[in-house]
């Protein structure tokens, strides 16, 4: 589902829907970290509860609205869904074990990996400016990871970076599904269903346990915040200005860093701040250069998430 120009839909809030989405994504990440640390949930369990909520709500909506669930591209859906689910495993692991801002920023490297995969796999041509932004973005990743690698958090840092890479691969597949004519709701529904089943198997193999009653508000909050954030983000891209919305999306990094500092007591190294700044700046500038008409057709589907 490609976002429509803002002139076609009137909404007084417009691009500001992305601010609401950023706040909701921050709440989701905060609750993921809280649930993982306080109740010792593994990544499989956290991903399961996040996916289950979306699968139930979207599945019920599709049935009630009599939406067609059949698709001739089931293999493409399975491939996209598995890569997206594995990406979420890595990102959630990083969010639980690293400062919140650092873990969330690693998930935003997906746009860098998407550009890299588009260049290497799809053989797309990129301009000099895009190449420089890609290099600077990965330079920011190096800065961001230095404190974690020195502080004995290598696995969490690499899991987050791997999650960002897999998310970039998943976004490339989402774009291909969009070109095949698959609606965004069906892409997200299949992703949620496959993710629920795969994460349940993962959690069972790792040692599934019944969640304590005290954890239920966190688990429900993760699922509800994720779905609400997705809806707000999709609406923002539909009614807002594409560049403004793309830039505002990085507020999730800002909000998550502040939430980690004030609610979790996270300490963020100067080098980490520098890395975040470079990654965010590179992403915003890439969105600015991506306003050109030919890039608009090639941009990944902003109506879906990993």
């Amino acid at each position: 589902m490609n976002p429509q120009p803002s002139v076609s839909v009137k909404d007084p809030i417009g691009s500001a829907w992305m601010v609401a989405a950023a706040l909701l994504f921050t709440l989701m990440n905060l609750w993921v970290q809280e649930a993982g640390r306080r109740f010792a949930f593994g990544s499989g369990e956290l991903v399961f509860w996040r996916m289950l909520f979306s699968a139930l709500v979207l599945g019920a909506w599709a049935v009630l609205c009599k939406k067609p669930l059949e698709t001739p591209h089931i293999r493409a859906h399975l491939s996209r869904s598995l890569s997206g689910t594995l990406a979420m495993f890595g990102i959630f692991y990083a969010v639980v074990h690293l400062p919140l801002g650092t873990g969330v920023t690693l998930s935003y490297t997906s746009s860098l990996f998407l550009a890299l995969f588009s260049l290497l796999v799809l053989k797309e041509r990129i301009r000099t400016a895009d190449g420089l932004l890609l290099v600077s973005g990965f330079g920011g990743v190096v800065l961001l990871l230095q404190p974690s690698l020195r502080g004995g958090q290598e696995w969490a840092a690499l899991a987050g970076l791997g999650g960002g890479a897999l998310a970039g691969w998943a976004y490339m597949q989402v774009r291909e599904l969009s070109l095949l004519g698959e609606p965004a709701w069906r892409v997200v529904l299949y992703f949620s269903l496959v993710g629920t089943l795969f994460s349940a198997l993962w959690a069972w193999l790792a040692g599934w346990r019944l969640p304590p009653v005290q954890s239920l508000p966190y688990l429900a909050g993760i699922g509800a915040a994720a779905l609400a954030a997705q809806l707000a983000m999709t609406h923002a891209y539909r009614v807002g200005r594409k560049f403004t919305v793309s830039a505002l999306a990085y507020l999730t990094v800002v909000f998550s860093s502040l939430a980690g500092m004030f609610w979790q007591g996270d300490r963020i190294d100067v080098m980490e701040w520098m890395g975040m700044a470079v990654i965010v700046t590179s992403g915003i500038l890439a969105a600015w250069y991506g306003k050109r008409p030919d890039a608009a057709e090639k941009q990944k589907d902003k109506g879906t998430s990993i």
Side-chain angles (χ1 to χ4, degrees):
M1 176 180 60
N2 291 322
Q4 299 298 318
S6 57
V7 293
S8 64
V9 181
K10 295 186 180 298
D11 190 312
I13 298 179
S15 302
W17 278 102
M18 193 64 237
V19 179
L23 286 169
L24 287 164
F25 277 127
T26 299
L27 282 175
M28 181 200 75
N29 289 315
L30 187 61
W31 286 329
V32 164
Q33 190 179 76
E34 278 283 301
R37 292 180 177 180
R38 183 172 297 188
F39 303 102
F41 284 121
S43 295
E45 293 169 296
L46 291 170
V47 172
F48 171 79
W49 293 109
R50 181 259 186 263
M51 292 291 206
L52 180 64
F53 192 95
S54 294
L56 291 176
V57 173
L58 289 174
W61 172 81
V63 171
L64 290 174
C65 296
K66 298 181 179 180
K67 295 289 185 179
L69 299 177
E70 299 82 6
T71 174
H73 310 295
I74 187 65
R75 291 181 64 181
H77 276 287
L78 289 174
S79 177
R80 175 269 183 275
S81 298
L82 285 175
S83 58
T85 302
L86 288 172
M88 196 170 291
F89 280 131
I91 291 169
F92 277 15
Y93 186 86
V95 165
V96 172
H97 294 89
L98 295 174
L100 190 61
T102 303
V104 170
T105 305
L106 286 173
S107 73
Y108 274 78
T109 61
S110 59
S111 59
L112 300 176
F113 283 107
L114 173 62
L116 182 62
F117 293 146
S118 298
L119 173 65
L120 299 178
V121 179
L122 301 181
K123 307 300 182 183
E124 291 186 357
R125 296 176 59 186
I126 64 171
R127 301 182 309 174
T128 302
D130 297 322
L132 291 174
L133 289 173
L134 187 60
V135 172
S136 68
F138 279 110
V141 172
V142 173
L143 290 173
L144 180 66
L145 292 181
Q146 286 300 311
S148 298
L149 295 177
R150 292 198 308 266
Q153 297 174 308
E154 298 89 352
W155 287 113
L158 293 175
L161 188 61
L166 284 167
W169 184 266
Y171 283 137
M172 186 174 67
Q173 294 176 308
V174 166
R175 186 171 62 183
E176 296 305 306
L177 281 168
S178 179
L179 293 175
L180 291 172
E182 287 293 275
W185 69 265
R186 195 154 60 205
V187 175
V188 178
L189 177 58
Y190 272 92
F191 171 45
S192 301
L193 290 171
V194 172
T196 300
L197 294 174
F198 187 74
S199 59
L201 175 62
W202 186 297
W204 178 71
L205 292 174
W208 177 270
R209 60 194 176 88
L210 195 66
V213 175
Q214 298 90 333
S215 69
L216 296 181
Y218 293 94
L219 300 177
I222 290 169
L227 183 58
Q230 188 62 55
L231 293 173
M233 181 180 71
T234 301
H235 191 66
Y237 276 104
R238 183 178 298 121
V239 303
R241 295 180 180 274
K242 185 176 293 185
F243 166 68
T244 303
V245 174
S246 297
L248 289 175
Y250 285 91
L251 282 175
T252 304
V253 173
V254 177
F255 293 156
S256 297
S257 300
L258 294 175
M261 291 172 61
F262 289 106
W263 274 281
Q264 303 293 76
D266 290 339
R267 292 185 177 182
I268 301 179
D269 188 278
V270 173
M271 196 169 291
E272 288 177 296
W273 281 118
M274 291 173 60
M276 289 181 196
V278 171
I279 293 170
V280 170
T281 301
S282 298
I284 292 175
L285 288 176
W288 171 262
Y289 283 111
K291 292 195 302 178
R292 64 189 190 279
D294 61 313
E297 294 299 324
K298 297 178 181 179
Q299 200 173 19
K300 68 177 183 290
D301 187 338
K302 297 291 187 175
T304 59
S305 68
I306 61 165

